[in-house]
Amino acid sequence: MDRSWELIPGDMPGAEWRIPVLRFKGNADGPPAYLQAALHADELPGVITIDALCARLRRAEAAGDIKGDITIVPWANPIGLQQQLHGAWQGRYDLDTRVNFNRDFPLIDRPDPALLAGPDAVMSAGARLKIKLLTLALPSEIILDLHCDEVSLLYLYIPSALWPGMQDLADAMDPGAVLAWGGEAGSAFDEACLTPWLRSGADLSGKVVSTVELRGRADIDAELAERDAEGLFRFLAGRGVIAGDPPQRRWSGPVAELDHIEMIRAPVGGAVCFVRVPGDHVEAGDLLATILVRPGEEGGAVPVRAPQAGLVMSRRDHGRAKPGEDMMKLVCGSRSATARPGPLEA
Ligand SMILES: [Zn+2]
């Protein structure tokens, strides 16, 4: 394994950001793969999963089992990683520009990093970071971006254009659900990795792009990391990136388009008491949570009910809500009456 650093100039003199890059050299007998974690810098389950995966990859390397080049960026966002505001991590949005670190990636017409802006272009460090990550990722046929939700099942975002071709990732990771997306996704990293292939008419057989949501933010657990690393290892083996056994089981969970996800929004502001947890199946009208608006008064709590039957996939990790704020995600069998175009979340 080789470890190097990619450098990004800071916006002002005296600052510079460093991205660690781990590389396993293949024997040119398999497709190249790229994995990154913590693009949203406060989402760390992917970081410890990569640590567990790299232990396996180093053993495979010693055995001569690496077939395709593997590039891994375990800390993809040093800018967000340093954003602390009075003890609270601010890893999702660039505090300077207010832009989500996983939006506004450049969308180019073919998978050629030469089409991206060069080092002389005038832009912020945050924009340079996105170009650097795309430059590292685009040469790979297989691209996995490891994120997490708040309190959540493991789930996968997979482009509709690559489903069911990517069934094997679900077989390997055993998600609670697969979310199939098409069209515009806010120029998220996964969209920016797939768009050049779609626009250029490149052959999509063998192509993999996924945002892997490794459960909730607090699910930083060695046992889960080992399980997820084993899944990723078997997936890479099945794809011929490394020698080894492919996933053994066939996954058959729910696959939902984004407009079949009910984003349960708070009707009022107050203290939230959730009565359902991720993994629960609910029927239309079932109570999901109550929002306490007038504590101590009769009728001071507002019930929040399921608009249709579905699987509770995730919920917020705190007990407060503002009117209109997303509280929960339900995977459902029918289109949500309140579905919005674009990505599920801001
Ligand atoms: Zn994320």
Side-chain angles (χ1 to χ4, degrees):
M1 186 190 84
D2 171 71
R3 204 281 315 279
S4 60
W5 298 93
E6 293 286 340
L7 304 181
I8 297 171
D11 286 338
M12 297 299 284
E16 184 177 71
W17 303 104
R18 292 156 61 87
I19 308 174
V21 182
L22 312 179
R23 287 188 172 89
F24 294 86
K25 184 78 183 139
N27 60 14
D29 194 28
Y34 172 89
L35 293 89
Q36 70 178 24
L39 174 58
H40 286 142
D42 51 354
E43 299 175 1
L44 302 191
V47 175
I48 62 164
T49 297
I50 277 181
D51 184 60
L53 175 64
C54 282
R56 287 165 168 77
L57 293 177
R58 288 195 302 272
R59 288 196 293 272
E61 184 178 49
D65 285 344
I66 307 287
K67 296 162 71 176
D69 291 344
I70 305 171
T71 305
I72 297 180
V73 179
W75 296 114
N77 182 0
I79 300 173
L81 207 53
Q82 304 302 323
Q83 288 189 162
Q84 319 273 337
L85 193 62
H86 309 307
W89 246 359
Q90 308 290 328
R92 187 173 182 85
Y93 299 94
D94 188 325
L95 286 183
D96 181 30
T97 61
R98 306 184 202 176
V99 175
N100 185 320
F101 282 114
N102 193 21
R103 301 287 183 274
D104 289 2
F105 277 81
L107 303 178
I108 56 179
D109 291 336
R110 60 179 191 278
D112 178 1
L115 297 183
L116 296 165
D120 295 335
V122 177
M123 65 179 71
S124 68
R128 284 188 197 284
L129 171 74
K130 292 172 184 176
I131 286 176
K132 184 67 75 179
L133 295 174
L134 266 188
T135 301
L136 289 165
L138 280 176
S140 288
E141 192 166 320
I142 294 168
I143 299 175
L144 300 176
D145 188 16
L146 308 184
H147 286 249
C148 69
D149 205 306
E150 295 196 13
V151 176
S152 181
L153 303 177
L154 189 157
Y155 63 97
L156 306 173
Y157 285 101
I158 292 181
S160 300
L162 302 182
W163 186 262
M166 284 178 54
Q167 163 82 35
D168 55 335
L169 184 63
D171 295 343
M173 302 306 293
D174 193 24
V178 165
L179 307 194
W181 62 270
E184 295 181 3
S187 297
F189 178 77
D190 54 4
E191 183 182 9
C193 289
L194 181 67
T195 296
W197 291 66
L198 295 177
R199 287 185 179 172
S200 64
D203 179 10
L204 293 178
S205 60
K207 185 66 185 161
V208 168
V209 175
S210 180
T211 300
V212 178
E213 301 280 351
L214 291 173
R215 306 180 192 82
R217 222 192 307 261
D219 290 319
I220 299 173
D221 177 277
E223 200 170 310
L224 292 175
E226 290 294 334
R227 186 194 307 175
D228 294 341
E230 183 65 22
L232 291 172
F233 190 90
R234 283 180 177 260
F235 168 71
L236 293 172
R239 289 277 170 163
V241 181
I242 44 183
D245 293 330
Q248 299 300 307
R249 59 182 170 243
R250 177 82 177 174
W251 180 83
S252 60
V255 180
E257 296 183 19
L258 295 193
D259 63 4
H260 285 49
I261 306 302
E262 290 284 1
M263 298 294 283
I264 306 299
R265 299 186 179 99
V268 294
V272 181
C273 183
F274 290 103
V275 297
R276 295 292 189 165
V277 297
D280 283 353
H281 290 268
V282 297
E283 298 298 326
D286 279 358
L287 186 66
L288 300 174
T290 55
I291 302 180
L292 196 54
V293 184
R294 296 182 303 279
E297 298 181 33
E298 199 168 342
V302 175
V304 180
R305 299 186 183 279
Q308 59 170 314
L311 167 71
V312 178
M313 188 169 72
S314 69
R315 67 164 174 82
R316 302 308 296 264
D317 61 2
H318 56 74
R320 58 186 185 273
K322 297 182 294 187
E325 190 174 6
D326 296 328
M327 299 167 55
M328 271 181 148
K329 296 188 193 78
L330 258 56
V331 181
C332 298
S334 305
R335 188 178 187 280
S336 165
T338 57
R340 299 172 292 203
L344 284 180
E345 295 177 284

